[in-house]
Amino acid sequence: MTLLRMYAITAIVLALKMSAISVAQGRARVAAGIFVNPEDARLFQANQAPEEAPAVQRAARAWLNDLENIPIFLILCWIYVAAGLSPTAFVVYCVVFMVARIAHTICYLNSIQPLRTIVFTVGALDTLALMVHLVIEIVLA
């Protein structure tokens, strides 16, 4: 598999995963019948409240966690692709990160601990390994 193809698959899967969080937020809003924006409350004939329902807040925190992790990983991946490094190692980095982030979202939305922390750590260590690989192959070369 080419580096660019793997990068594209990774970016698309992660974008779809993040989109799923948006769907989860919307469903949680409708299920709770609580909306922060008055126009949304009117549209859905629901209650307007000063803050989101707990399930919506949880999904928002999962989204923020993605925003702290996914862009950094994708930037590092782009450097890897541009450098033309090992495709085999790249597939491993990408698959491990995708699986970890998907599992993290599932665990976050369903309040599953300690698995949420474990899969978060796996994704973070995968990103760290990718960084070290880039430093060795590009910076120190």
Side-chain angles (χ1 to χ4, degrees):
M1 178 172 298
T2 67
L3 292 171
L4 183 58
R5 180 173 286 141
M6 188 67 223
Y7 180 82
I9 291 168
T10 302
I12 291 165
V13 166
L14 293 172
L16 287 170
K17 187 209 74 61
M18 290 181 75
S19 296
I21 293 176
S22 294
V23 171
Q25 283 181 300
R27 291 183 70 201
R29 276 189 192 100
V30 171
I34 298 171
F35 292 83
V36 172
N37 298 317
E39 66 276 12
D40 296 338
R42 281 192 305 273
L43 175 67
F44 291 96
Q45 299 175 343
N47 297 316
Q48 196 267 329
E51 67 178 39
E52 298 280 12
V56 177
Q57 292 177 17
R58 178 169 284 281
R61 288 191 302 272
W63 176 269
L64 288 173
N65 192 280
D66 278 348
L67 289 178
E68 294 169 351
N69 291 275
I70 291 174
I72 293 168
F73 185 79
L74 290 176
I75 290 166
L76 294 169
C77 284
W78 188 249
I79 295 167
Y80 196 103
V81 169
L85 301 177
S86 167
T88 303
F90 190 61
V91 168
V92 172
Y93 291 132
C94 291
V95 169
V96 168
F97 189 80
M98 285 187 290
V99 169
R101 291 311 304 172
I102 291 167
H104 180 267
T105 296
I106 291 167
C107 291
Y108 211 128
L109 294 179
N110 293 289
S111 306
I112 301 170
Q113 275 289 25
L115 187 56
R116 186 182 92 210
T117 298
I118 292 167
V119 294
F120 173 84
T121 302
V122 168
L125 290 174
D126 185 66
T127 301
L128 179 62
L130 176 57
M131 283 188 253
V132 170
H133 191 147
L134 291 170
V135 167
I136 292 168
E137 293 291 334
I138 298 171
V139 178
L140 299 178

